[in-house]
Amino acid sequence: NTFEDARRELLTPAHMYMFDIMADRLSLEPAAVEDFILDSTSLDACDTFFAQGGSRTISFVYQEAEIPGIGLSITQFTCNLDELFLANLSQTCLRGKCCFFTRTQIFFNMVDGKDGLLKGIKDTFSSLLPALDAEQHWGVLNKSRHGEKFKKNFMFTINNCLRSLDGKYTFKRVVLNVLLEVDQLRRLDGSAGPLSELEHWKQMSLKFDSVLNHIQSSECKAVVKVLCISKSKTMKMWRELDAKATDRVNEAKDNVKFLSTLENVCQPLYNSDPVSMIKSVHNVFNAIHMIYNVSRYYNTDEKIAILFGNVTNQMLNACRAYITENGKYQIWDHNPENLTRKMQVMTIDILVLINRKCIMH
């Protein structure tokens, strides 16, 4: 239209240089980039950037449009709802990629925020460090008596910033992994007994306690307060992490409390032979039945199945120890009559019948 044509006539080779760079980095056609920018409400930011003594930086953001259908270029050149626009970063929530130019011979770089802004900033500055290390021309700093000291302090600050960003990003990832660990399917250890389930939840309780203590630390609360004041959209994520960590701590402690009731009743499974053990199986199943009925968290079929599986494992361990006399003999070392007698004691049909009676009771 006439308005866009009038704007297009104002574009200079400097504008086209920036458009070409962004088109290359964003995998867009230069014409698409041009149309995106011409669709902007104002091009004052470009004029200020190129003006003598003007702004030192200019930023463009390429991400999913909050309101689909803005600008003809969205439907004309792309098959998705992404848009490219001149951005005031203090008022923009970065969810995509940020392209920025600085007035040091028109230096260009880009921050990819699709996997999180912290990671995007860290990756961008990490790629800058080698270039800064190799840079020989530092302007007036090369002539200054303290120039070398200033350069070292600057590099030290950048490295500290990167370590801080890496720590924050790593902490978020570690927290999520720990919180998700309890939801993952667990591979049963064929030799694990029922008390191993108690140890598992004791370890989970320690992990969740550690996560919750860090989230509730004064340092973390200070960060959250800043995010809250700045109305950051990451506040939703932090609230969810806090709530989930609290729930996981409660779950682990509740499970430890109820599974601890198995310590005494399960001792015969570890210390008795199959003959005397059978008398204690009834008490074990009663305890598991109580846990299933009363526990707030340990009342799912998946968790109870794990516990029953571990009880079965320990009974089999006891049978194996009974036959081999705690590993002293191999099966073929036994007297056939003695081995037959022991095998008859542990007939699977008898064990199944006893288990059924205990469960029905």
Side-chain angles (χ1 to χ4, degrees), residues 77-134:
F77 292 98
T78 64
C79 298
N80 51 33
L81 298 177
D82 287 346
E83 63 173 342
L84 175 67
F85 56 92
L86 277 162
N88 181 343
L89 295 182
S90 65
Q91 301 175 3
T92 303
C93 178
L94 182 62
R95 305 182 309 277
K97 298 179 179 179
C98 174
C99 302
F100 59 93
F101 296 83
T102 60
R103 287 169 59 110
T104 52
Q105 300 178 348
I106 311 296
F107 173 78
F108 170 81
N109 213 317
M110 184 172 73
V111 174
D112 189 344
K114 286 188 175 180
D115 295 326
L117 186 56
L118 289 180
K119 184 178 184 300
I121 294 174
K122 173 183 173 295
D123 291 344
T124 298
F125 277 89
S126 295
S127 67
L128 284 176
L129 280 179
L132 289 173
D133 282 332

Side-chain angles (χ1 to χ4, degrees), residues 13-297:
H15 289 89
M16 304 311 296
Y17 171 74
M18 289 198 306
F19 296 167
D20 287 342
I21 290 178
M22 287 191 290
D24 178 66
R25 296 300 296 272
L26 298 174
S27 300
L28 296 173
E29 293 294 330
V33 174
E34 182 179 325
D35 276 16
F36 270 124
I37 303 306
L38 291 177
D39 279 346
S40 299
T41 305
S42 172
L43 297 181
D44 289 346
C46 290
D47 298 335
T48 304
F49 180 70
F50 290 120
Q52 184 175 359
S55 173
R56 295 181 59 85
T57 63
I58 186 170
S59 303
F60 302 85
V61 168
Y62 182 62
Q63 63 188 19
E64 185 177 349
E66 293 185 358
I67 304 176
I70 296 179
L72 294 176
S73 53
I74 292 179
T75 56
Q76 185 176 354
F77 292 98
T78 64
C79 298
N80 51 33
L81 298 177
D82 287 346
E83 63 173 342
L84 175 67
F85 56 92
L86 277 162
N88 181 343
L89 295 182
S90 65
Q91 301 175 3
T92 303
C93 178
L94 182 62
R95 305 182 309 277
K97 298 179 179 179
C98 174
C99 302
F100 59 93
F101 296 83
T102 60
R103 287 169 59 110
T104 52
Q105 300 178 348
I106 311 296
F107 173 78
F108 170 81
N109 213 317
M110 184 172 73
V111 174
D112 189 344
K114 286 188 175 180
D115 295 326
L117 186 56
L118 289 180
K119 184 178 184 300
I121 294 174
K122 173 183 173 295
D123 291 344
T124 298
F125 277 89
S126 295
S127 67
L128 284 176
L129 280 179
L132 289 173
D133 282 332
E135 180 60 53
Q136 299 296 323
H137 305 289
W138 289 78
V140 295
L141 287 181
N142 287 340
K143 302 176 183 179
S144 171
R145 183 174 61 177
H146 302 293
E148 192 63 31
K149 180 180 178 181
F150 287 141
K151 286 188 286 184
K152 288 182 178 179
N153 287 342
F154 175 72
M155 295 297 293
F156 178 77
T157 302
I158 293 293
N159 276 298
N160 273 352
C161 178
L162 286 176
R163 281 193 290 270
S164 176
L165 288 173
D166 188 50
K168 289 178 174 62
Y169 180 71
T170 301
F171 173 69
K172 174 188 172 184
R173 186 173 62 245
V174 168
V175 169
L176 289 174
N177 288 341
V178 171
L179 295 179
L180 290 174
E181 184 177 346
V182 72
D183 296 326
Q184 296 174 351
L185 291 176
R186 290 164 52 197
R187 179 177 295 179
L188 293 180
D189 183 351
S191 61
L195 296 184
S196 65
E197 185 69 0
L198 173 60
E199 290 304 314
H200 168 76
W201 283 105
K202 284 182 178 179
Q203 293 177 14
M204 297 303 290
S205 180
L206 291 175
K207 284 185 180 181
F208 296 147
D209 263 332
S210 177
V211 169
L212 187 62
N213 288 339
H214 192 87
I215 290 178
Q216 295 179 347
S217 66
S218 57
E219 294 87 353
C220 195
K221 285 183 177 179
V223 173
V224 172
K225 188 173 183 179
V226 171
L227 294 175
C228 185
I229 293 173
S230 63
K231 298 180 180 179
S232 171
K233 292 188 177 181
T234 58
M235 277 301 301
K236 180 181 178 182
M237 179 271 293
W238 278 110
R239 290 193 183 100
E240 290 175 352
L241 278 181
D242 192 0
K244 186 170 288 188
T246 301
D247 188 61
R248 291 294 188 247
V249 168
N250 293 335
E251 177 182 6
K253 289 182 177 179
D254 191 73
N255 290 345
V256 168
K257 179 180 72 174
F258 282 98
L259 289 172
S260 295
T261 62
L262 295 176
E263 285 189 287
N264 291 330
V265 296
C266 284
Q267 286 304 320
L269 300 184
Y270 290 84
N271 303 326
S272 305
D273 59 45
V275 179
S276 56
M277 178 199 305
I278 296 303
K279 303 174 184 178
S280 304
V281 173
H282 178 74
N283 294 332
V284 174
F285 281 113
N286 277 345
I288 295 176
H289 188 260
M290 181 275 296
I291 292 173
Y292 184 77
N293 286 334
V294 180
S295 173
R296 177 183 174 187
Y297 296 95

Side-chain angles (χ1 to χ4, degrees), residues 346-356:
M346 301 179 301
T347 301
I348 299 299
D349 290 339
I350 296 177
L351 291 178
V352 171
L353 178 61
I354 293 174
N355 286 345
R356 285 178 179 174

